[in-house]
Amino acid sequence: MTTRFKKEVLDTPAWWQDLDRYIDEQKNNNPGHVQSALIPVLHYVQDRYGYVPEKAVNHVAQSLGVPTVYIWGVASFYSYFSLTPKGLYTIRVCAGTACYVQGSQAVMNEFIRRLEIQPGQTTEDGLFTLEEARCLGACGQAPVVMVNDRVHAKVRPEQVPDIVAEYTALAHASAEAQA
Amino acid sequence: MSSATQTLEKLVSQASPSVAGEVEKPQVLVGIATCALAAGARDAMDAAKAALNGNDGVTLGQVGCVGCCSVEPLMEVRKPGEPPRLYVNVDAGRAAEIIRRDVMGGQPIPEWQIEAIEGLGTPAKGAATGAQDSEVIDRFTRDWRRLDYFSRQTRICLRNVGRVDPENIDDYLTVGGYAALAKCLGELSPQEVIDIIKAAGLRGRGGAGFPTGLKWQFTHNAPGETKYVVCNADEGDPGAFMDRSTLEGDPHSVVEALAICAYAIGAKRGFVYVRAEYPLAVQRLKLAIQQAEERGLLGDNILGTDHCFHLEIRLGAGAFVCGEETALMASIEGKRGMPRPRPPFPATSGLWGKPTNINNVETLANVPAIILLGADWYSSIGTEKSKGTKVFALAGNVVNTGLIEVPMGATLREVVFDIGGGIPGGRGFKAAQIGGPSGGCLPSQYLDTPTDYESLQAAGAIMGSGGLIVMDDTVCMVDIAKFFLTFTQDESCGKCTPCREGTKRMLEVLQRITAGSGEALDLERLRRLGAVAQRAALCGLGQTAPNPVLSTLRQFPDEYEAHIQEKRCPTAVCEALVHYFIVEDKCIGCGLCKRVCPVHCISGEARQPHVIGDDACVRCGACYERCPVDAIVRQ
Ligand SMILES: Cc1cc2nc3c(=O)[nH]c(=O)nc-3n(C[C@H](O)[C@H](O)[C@H](O)COP(=O)(O)O)c2cc1C
Ligand code: FES
């Protein structure tokens, strides 16, 4: 089965120019410590690209004058950086202490059952990536689920189908609008 | 008056605050913070805006979270000459009604106000116990100390939260912001600033409780031209959110404190290292830095003096160990976030080998208040060895989840029961987990323990960052120990063996115990492995990782025994040890359980008692949920 939903990928010359501009800015901000620009640059790539692709790593390595293996080493150390593409929506179920005590495991299990994927995986249609999050800082609203930038509070397992349905509908609507 | 103060006064006189200062016309304040947004505060704000329909006789503004997370979204209505009204659980519908009936119509709606919420709305008993003598401090509590929940608090770190728009520097300037910086630059030498912080007795809120003034002194004394200040806003303890709330509700207090610290130690450049998981905090901090630069409160020649200080934000990238100071600095340098042995301490050799002072967000947020109100005032609050206040994030099985700030030394009972409102659903209190993955679980006999650094440590927990997770009697302590160890094992950076291997072996033992194949020797194994990691690990992560295990082992030995000897989980949490069976007398033979069972292990004729085949049972709990007469028991 082919992937049906894909994020718009900004693989244009302008995109690479923007990246270069950002890298230069970071280099200038850190005179004498070029390496210090690396993590901000990786954030920049991940924010705008959705993940850190190999060609970006190669590009950054050249611009910063840092070996690619070094960049892979850093990027893979930090769990925030994803080295593979993600789905249209990333569902992050909080597994922090407050959420755990309030039953986040049952919520996670329900997502696993519904989406038929394990945490860290993406559905075949490219719609959802499921992740386990460390505390999202909304512990007073536990258990918490974050879908892209939106936080859902006090989520019960029974609400999982509705959440999945809501974003599925949203994706279909925007796909139709584009077509 | 010094020229720095004069320059500041000019800024203050030109300020146009959004919500701070005297209430001159009706104000509607909506709490906009991560927790509030999750509860739907954006809808409330939009609905209020629509209902006001451009009416410029009313100010609609945003503030941070005042700490009542359990009843968010919150909307406060303030009118000149009237006591303020705090509306709770404000959805879009309520927001529109509040505007129509109260703000425009002059008819408050008592049933939606905080007073209608049992516990939170209870009137204060007697005089306020918090030290709110100073009018400069905590404008929010000053208005709200008529309620028990607030009268027991003393908010120094959170003094401006709820009374300033965090996205407008003019609000902060209006409530005395940057006056402490002006005082330092204009009237005090760096050494005098350090002496004040020392005399105040401020200790680090990031976990270890190291005296802040002493740390500043070390960095000040360290030889070298180039020095750095760093703010640790990595807040890795899952269940703690005081740093997030402070940055979202009052970012300038931290920015000002960093500028003061830089002056005291002689640094020209600083970094705030914030978790990437806190986008709103990052956004507001960015804005705060930008606005401070525009007003000449950051950058070159601050307030017209020689002091230059440039502040940058660095984002974390999802590694818990980066909260540890040496790992954090490695991360800023663009390396893998791995800790290194200390000494040398950052004060002598930190970022790029230069003397570096690193402090936590909450530690810093106290600094401007101390400079303005004095060391004597500050050290009069708290206990002999732990001065000032502590912010606690109350979460888990507690009625009033939220953020509170109390004088050091308030007992756990006051925090969990008097302010927190106790355990919901009529359940019993089992333990308070304090100090996160480095801390411990304190059962009910410790409820009268004062919350200060020494007492908590003596009780077998630690203050940590102040995350306080309340656990009721449905929580399995062996499972909780496993939960924390899964966390630390996953977050171990792998550099040193005692942590990398030790946490892994301990986790395996716990997995075995919770799966029903634990053996008598396992408890001794846990103690031994724990002791090695505590002594031999390279950094605080590994040294403290065994704490949740060892503390539950000490406080709840019976629960471990039940898992090992009887293959039984007393709270029926550990799935492998749970058994489902049908009480014959209660079963009406409706067959619903049989139909929902995914593995067809339930048998029985219609209208006859059914039976669950325990061997085939996968313990999904579907039958238990489905049974209409509660005939299925889970044990
Ligand atoms: C594993 C580990 C994680 C830590 N995480 C944090 C954290 O998230 N926030 C923090 O302020 N300090 C954290 N610390 C403590 C810091 O190393 C450091 O002591 C603190 O930032 C110093 O600031 P303070 O003196 O103001 O408390 C952590 C320490 C360890 C060992
Ligand atoms: S523990 Fe889930 S948001 Fe903090």
Side-chain angles (χ1 to χ4, degrees):
Chain A
M1 197 171 141
T2 52
T3 305
R4 286 191 293 133
F5 295 95
K6 250 177 129 178
K7 274 192 226 183
E8 199 186 343
V9 172
L10 304 164
D11 195 0
T12 60
W15 194 87
W16 293 103
Q17 276 160 20
D18 283 347
L19 176 61
D20 280 333
R21 208 169 305 132
Y22 186 77
I23 293 175
D24 283 341
E25 204 178 286
Q26 287 302 313
K27 269 183 33 196
N28 293 337
N29 276 350
N30 297 282
H33 306 297
V34 173
Q35 213 181 62
S36 171
L38 175 57
I39 293 175
V41 169
L42 289 177
H43 270 293
Y44 183 93
V45 172
Q46 163 119 357
D47 268 7
R48 284 162 185 74
Y49 218 94
Y51 73 110
V52 182
E54 188 174 345
K55 55 186 168 189
V57 170
N58 295 338
H59 186 90
V60 172
Q62 242 178 11
S63 309
L64 287 181
V66 180
T68 35
V69 287
Y70 183 83
I71 300 187
W72 285 120
V74 170
S76 61
F77 179 85
Y78 295 97
S79 63
Y80 192 83
F81 298 126
S82 170
L83 306 178
T84 50
K86 289 195 190 184
L88 202 55
Y89 298 104
T90 300
I91 300 177
R92 308 173 72 203
V93 182
C94 180
T97 321
C99 290
Y100 184 78
V101 169
Q102 299 273 59
S104 66
Q105 199 55 46
V107 176
M108 177 55 111
N109 288 342
E110 196 55 28
F111 274 112
I112 292 174
R113 221 168 57 84
R114 285 268 153 188
L115 300 175
E116 299 179 357
I117 49 171
Q118 292 298 315
Q121 296 179 337
T122 301
T123 52
E124 249 180 73
D125 60 7
L127 202 46
F128 295 109
T129 298
L130 187 59
E131 286 181 359
E132 197 178 79
R134 300 279 196 242
C135 187
L136 299 164
C139 325
Q141 309 287 354
V144 168
V145 173
M146 197 161 165
V147 183
N148 287 1
D149 284 341
R150 203 169 127 215
V151 182
H152 296 254
K154 299 180 183 161
V155 180
R156 315 263 28 128
E158 306 86 83
Q159 291 169 280
V160 166
D162 294 344
I163 295 178
V164 172
E166 184 188 336
Y167 288 96
T168 309
L170 220 77
H172 282 286
S174 72
E176 266 162 41
Q178 269 171 23
Chain B
M1 190 189 288
S2 75
S3 73
T5 303
Q6 271 170 0
T7 314
L8 180 70
E9 294 218 327
K10 197 154 159 237
L11 288 177
V12 175
S13 67
Q14 291 164 350
S16 57
S18 315
V19 302
E22 289 302 310
V23 188
E24 278 154 10
K25 58 180 183 179
Q27 280 188 344
V28 178
L29 308 182
V30 183
I32 301 278
T34 299
C35 44
L37 288 172
R42 183 63 66 198
D43 295 342
M45 181 62 118
D46 290 346
K49 198 168 181 178
L52 280 170
N53 195 16
N55 180 340
D56 59 9
V58 177
T59 307
L60 176 65
Q62 62 170 354
V63 291
C65 165
V66 296
C68 313
C69 296
S70 55
V71 291
E72 284 187 288
L74 297 171
M75 181 182 273
E76 195 182 3
V77 175
R78 308 177 79 207
K79 289 184 178 181
E82 290 179 25
R85 295 180 281 280
L86 192 58
Y87 287 99
V88 299
N89 297 319
V90 181
D91 55 17
R94 278 194 180 185
E97 277 294 282
I98 293 165
I99 299 294
R100 196 175 63 80
R101 281 160 62 186
D102 183 343
V103 182
M104 317 280 255
Q107 300 281 329
I109 314 165
E111 60 276 23
W112 294 347
Q113 290 175 30
I114 192 165
E115 283 86 348
I117 305 283
E118 208 189 304
L120 279 178
T122 312
K125 305 177 187 81
T129 52
Q132 289 136 9
D133 42 2
S134 169
E135 297 293 279
V136 187
I137 287 301
D138 195 9
R139 293 157 191 85
F140 184 83
T141 312
R142 207 169 76 207
D143 288 339
W144 283 101
R145 60 186 154 193
R146 61 182 145 104
L147 300 185
D148 200 42
Y149 182 77
F150 292 111
S151 80
R152 289 174 183 276
Q153 300 192 43
T154 301
R155 307 196 329 160
I156 300 174
C157 171
L158 303 174
R159 61 193 177 277
N160 296 321
V161 177
R163 283 289 170 265
V164 296
D165 175 348
E167 298 188 9
N168 186 353
I169 190 174
D170 286 347
D171 280 52
Y172 187 66
L173 287 170
T174 303
V175 298
Y178 291 101
L181 177 62
K183 182 174 171 185
C184 291
L185 299 185
E187 300 165 28
L188 303 171
S189 69
Q191 187 58 51
E192 283 169 328
V193 175
I194 294 173
D195 289 340
I196 293 175
I197 301 299
K198 271 190 195 162
L202 177 64
R203 294 172 65 176
R205 304 292 195 252
F210 191 82
T212 305
L214 210 54
K215 201 190 270 190
W216 289 20
Q217 185 76 67
F218 290 149
T219 324
H220 172 90
N221 292 354
E225 272 296 294
T226 309
K227 295 179 186 180
Y228 298 103
V229 295
V230 175
C231 170
N232 189 340
D234 200 40
E235 194 153 66
D237 172 4
F241 51 97
M242 57 284 296
D243 295 350
R244 167 186 72 69
S245 212
T246 304
L247 289 175
E248 285 178 359
D250 187 25
H252 283 286
S253 65
V254 179
V255 173
E256 181 181 4
L258 284 164
I260 292 172
C261 175
Y263 173 70
I265 67 163
K268 293 189 174 48
R269 196 169 170 206
F271 297 90
V272 186
Y273 190 89
V274 198
R275 298 181 76 197
E277 288 86 344
Y278 288 173
L280 185 63
V282 173
Q283 182 199 322
R284 287 188 172 159
L285 190 61
K286 233 181 225 166
L287 204 59
I289 292 176
Q290 194 190 323
Q291 292 178 349
E293 282 169 350
E294 284 164 11
R295 301 289 197 289
L297 294 160
L298 279 181
D300 291 332
N301 303 106
I302 294 176
L303 288 169
T305 66
D306 298 342
H307 183 44
C308 305
F309 179 58
H310 296 265
L311 188 58
E312 285 167 50
I313 298 177
R314 286 303 170 93
L315 293 194
F320 171 70
V321 74
C322 285
E324 197 277 340
E325 54 193 26
T326 60
L328 186 153
M329 292 185 298
S331 183
I332 293 180
E333 291 175 10
K335 301 177 183 154
R336 292 166 151 241
M338 298 230 196
R340 59 158 178 80
R342 300 172 307 175
F345 286 92
T348 49
S349 175
L351 266 178
W352 297 294
K354 306 293 182 199
T356 303
N357 183 84
I358 173 162
N359 278 125
N360 164 265
V361 170
E362 188 187 335
T363 315
L364 289 166
N366 281 292
V367 166
I370 295 174
I371 298 290
L372 284 182
L373 297 171
D376 289 343
W377 161 78
Y378 191 79
S379 62
S380 71
I381 303 163
T383 66
E384 196 200 328
K385 287 194 175 146
S386 303
K387 300 299 184 193
T389 55
K390 181 75 196 85
V391 183
F392 287 104
L394 264 180
N397 305 126
V398 63
V399 176
N400 304 330
T401 54
L403 207 62
I404 61 158
E405 183 170 350
V406 288
M408 289 267 190
T411 65
L412 273 178
R413 190 185 303 282
E414 283 173 71
V415 172
V416 175
F417 287 89
D418 296 342
I419 300 178
I423 317 298
R427 309 233 48 125
F429 170 87
K430 184 159 188 178
Q433 207 286 339
I434 173 159
S438 308
C441 289
L442 299 178
S444 56
Q445 64 264 36
Y446 289 92
L447 277 174
D448 293 311
T449 307
T451 51
D452 60 62
Y453 294 99
E454 281 74 23
S455 309
L456 286 172
Q457 186 133 32
I462 60 162
M463 177 77 87
S465 58
L468 206 163
I469 310 282
V470 182
M471 297 176 183
D472 70 13
D473 52 16
T474 63
V475 175
C476 168
M477 298 321 272
V478 186
D479 182 64
I480 284 296
K482 186 177 79 175
F483 166 82
F484 278 115
L485 213 61
T486 309
F487 178 91
T488 34
Q489 206 277 314
D490 195 38
E491 292 294 344
S492 167
C493 78
K495 185 167 174 174
C496 76
T497 318
C499 174
R500 185 185 62 236
E501 297 301 319
T503 54
K504 201 168 176 71
R505 294 290 96 79
M506 287 178 81
L507 181 58
E508 284 165 5
V509 173
L510 286 170
Q511 281 164 341
R512 206 154 65 213
I513 296 175
T514 52
S517 42
E519 31 183 289
L521 265 179
D522 278 345
L523 299 186
E524 195 40 46
R525 284 195 187 106
L526 285 176
R527 288 195 193 96
R528 225 178 41 227
L529 284 162
V532 172
Q534 278 181 331
R535 258 176 292 139
L538 172 63
C539 83
L541 193 154
Q543 288 158 9
T544 58
N547 291 0
V549 182
L550 299 177
S551 99
T552 47
L553 208 49
R554 206 161 42 235
Q555 307 297 352
F556 302 93
D558 298 352
E559 237 169 277
Y560 279 87
E561 291 294 341
H563 282 74
I564 294 174
Q565 306 295 345
E566 304 163 37
K567 309 290 176 215
R568 184 174 68 84
C569 173
T571 51
V573 168
C574 299
E575 264 180 24
L577 302 180
V578 171
H579 302 279
Y580 291 89
F581 59 87
I582 298 173
V583 181
E584 219 182 296
D585 299 351
K586 280 194 179 172
C587 180
I588 52 170
C590 66
L592 284 175
C593 55
K594 199 157 108 182
R595 244 171 286 157
V596 296
C597 177
V599 293
H600 311 292
C601 74
I602 304 182
S603 54
E605 297 298 316
R607 282 179 291 284
Q608 295 298 316
H610 285 43
V611 182
I612 299 174
D614 194 49
D615 289 345
C617 173
V618 291
R619 308 174 208 298
C620 66
C623 56
Y624 178 75
E625 300 290 337
R626 193 68 195 86
C627 179
V629 293
D630 291 337
I632 300 181
V633 178
R634 183 186 150 92
Q635 237 168 35

